[in-house]
Amino acid sequence: MLDIQLLRTDLNHVTKKLASRSYRFPIEKFNQLEADRKKIQTQTQELQAKRNAASKLIGQAKSKGEDTTSIFTEVASLGDELKQFEIILGQIQSELQNILLEVPNLPHDSVPEGSGEEDNQEVRRWGQIRSFNFEIKDHVNIGESLKLLDFETAVKLSGARFSLIKGSLARLHRALTQFMLDTHVQEHGYTEIYAPYLVNRDSLQGTGQLPKFEEDLFVVNTAGKTAHGDKNTTGFYLIPTAEVPLTNIIRNEIVALKFLPMQFVAHTPCFRSEAGSYGKDTRGLIRQHQFDKVELVHIVHPDQSYEALETLVNHAEKILQKLELPYRVMTLCTRDMGFSAAKTYDIEVWLPAQNTYREISSCSNCESFQARRMQARFRNENGKTTLLHTLNGSGLAVGRTLVAILENYQNADGSVSIPEVLQPYMNGLDLLRIVGGQ
């Protein structure tokens, strides 16, 4: 959430920055609400002054033995008016709050302006793209030929955009998860968290998914709660990413300076309705309703958040380097960033069958945007409570990493070599084969 004082003091600058994100701020409505707020506050102050003056008259009249009935009546009347003004002011502030909850974060000055992914800027590349001397298969053909990837049964069980992974491929999926967690905990110093997969509305509002993106979420309607299709105010939501529970650990907290920075990592399934993505990536594991991620979250001092962003990206890159998967790092332009981000780097892994790079991690600095929504603060060097900065990124998306391994490590005979770093997690298995013991 943006600081309302920034809107009050520099509205033109804020609206210009928001326009670069293709967001049109409701200037007229905001200005009208602000004018009403100021008017009510002025009237409230005037009434309070009258009531204070009248209260003094009561004391003076009593000391002189005079009748105070009329003055008491006036004070009571002023009190009733003040209560009405308080109600009106609360309504105005609620409307202002609703506006703020819909407004995306301001892009950092280093973020390139652009209208879409074609305007994202490449930062660096890593790894050698493999040359194949046979016809490249995509991950779906590879997995189905190995009889380890079963979309038909998944459709029977749940519907479209679900998958069933079997045998040694399921084991490889599990090995990837364990390898990522071990790397981030043992080498990068993260604290591992086992987090809830169901969260309440406050948690999703804190990180920015609500209220604007409710259609992207899966709602769990419990008995006696809201009916399907109604606004879910009391029930649970399935998490779209572990960013939600990890970041909300500090919601409504004041963190001691000595505990900063915090680095959390969690492996969770993630659930997304993929509203608005129909027709996109319908084949395979790229865009699923249910998928696994290893998520990284940093909670840091505001002065250190951009240094932390570079660290976060490097930690995610390290996984791809150990797996020897080629990738590139991109700075997202203003109109391609997520709602809560001030700056985002995407890491894109090379997929041979698509002959292109595809996103496998998105690492963002949200600055104080989420912290203001959550009221997540710390005591700074001067003992003053100050908003924290929050960052998050995938380290990595497990399913997409599996896709990258299947395609980059495929062999002419249909088998798939297992990256060397994963073989200890596979009890020494070095190959996914077409036949035998799967």
Side-chain angles (χ1 to χ4, degrees), residues 26 46 174 249 260 309 420:
E46 290 173 351
R174 173 162 52 91
I249 288 172
L260 297 180
L309 178 59
E420 185 176 350

Side-chain angles (χ1 to χ4, degrees), residues 14-215:
V14 173
T15 54
K16 183 178 179 181
K17 295 283 278 187
L18 290 172
S20 74
R21 298 200 59 168
S22 195
Y23 183 83
R24 184 177 179 181
F25 185 81
I27 297 174
E28 291 184 6
K29 183 176 182 181
F30 177 80
N31 284 337
Q32 183 59 59
L33 286 169
E34 276 292 285
D36 292 344
R37 178 188 64 82
K38 291 176 183 177
K39 181 180 177 181
I40 292 296
Q41 286 181 333
T42 299
Q43 291 175 326
T44 298
Q45 290 169 356
E46 290 173 351
L47 284 175
Q48 287 172 335
K50 286 183 180 179
R51 187 174 65 173
N52 290 340
S55 296
K56 287 182 180 179
L57 290 175
I58 290 174
Q60 294 172 1
K62 282 185 176 181
S63 66
K64 297 177 183 178
E66 297 175 352
D67 184 15
T68 59
T69 303
S70 61
I71 305 176
F72 270 117
T73 301
E74 181 184 358
V75 169
S77 176
L78 291 169
D80 291 340
E81 287 188 70
L82 283 169
K83 288 178 182 178
Q84 288 300 313
F85 282 165
E86 184 179 334
I87 292 170
I88 295 170
L89 184 60
Q91 292 170 343
I92 293 170
Q93 290 173 332
S94 178
E95 289 190 60
L96 287 168
Q97 179 81 348
N98 289 338
I99 288 176
L100 291 176
L101 288 173
E102 297 278 346
V103 179
N105 203 354
L106 297 181
H108 189 264
D109 289 341
S110 65
V111 174
E113 286 199 30
S115 57
E117 62 181 44
E118 66 278 2
D119 295 314
N120 296 340
Q121 295 182 359
E122 184 172 318
V123 178
R124 57 183 170 271
R125 294 190 182 197
W126 186 93
Q128 185 68 37
I129 292 175
R130 178 184 171 189
S131 295
F132 292 85
N133 58 6
F134 57 89
E135 183 179 353
I136 299 171
K137 294 180 180 180
D138 71 4
H139 72 281
V140 176
N141 286 331
I142 296 168
E144 290 182 335
S145 296
L146 291 168
K147 301 188 184 305
L148 300 177
L149 195 54
D150 186 350
F151 292 102
E152 185 177 339
T153 300
V155 169
K156 179 178 71 173
L157 296 175
S158 303
R161 294 189 186 270
F162 289 92
S163 61
L164 189 72
I165 303 173
K166 300 188 288 187
S168 55
L169 190 59
R171 185 175 184 178
L172 183 60
H173 186 277
R174 173 162 52 91
L176 272 169
T177 300
Q178 191 63 56
F179 158 66
M180 292 178 192
L181 286 171
D182 286 349
T183 300
H184 293 311
V185 171
Q186 296 170 13
E187 298 183 20
H188 300 152
Y190 287 78
T191 298
E192 184 176 353
I193 303 291
Y194 175 74
Y197 304 159
L198 293 168
V199 293
N200 55 33
R201 189 175 185 87
D202 287 345
S203 294
L204 287 155
Q205 182 170 293
T207 43
Q209 284 80 14
L210 290 178
K212 193 173 180 66
F213 304 105
E214 187 150 12
E215 67 174 3

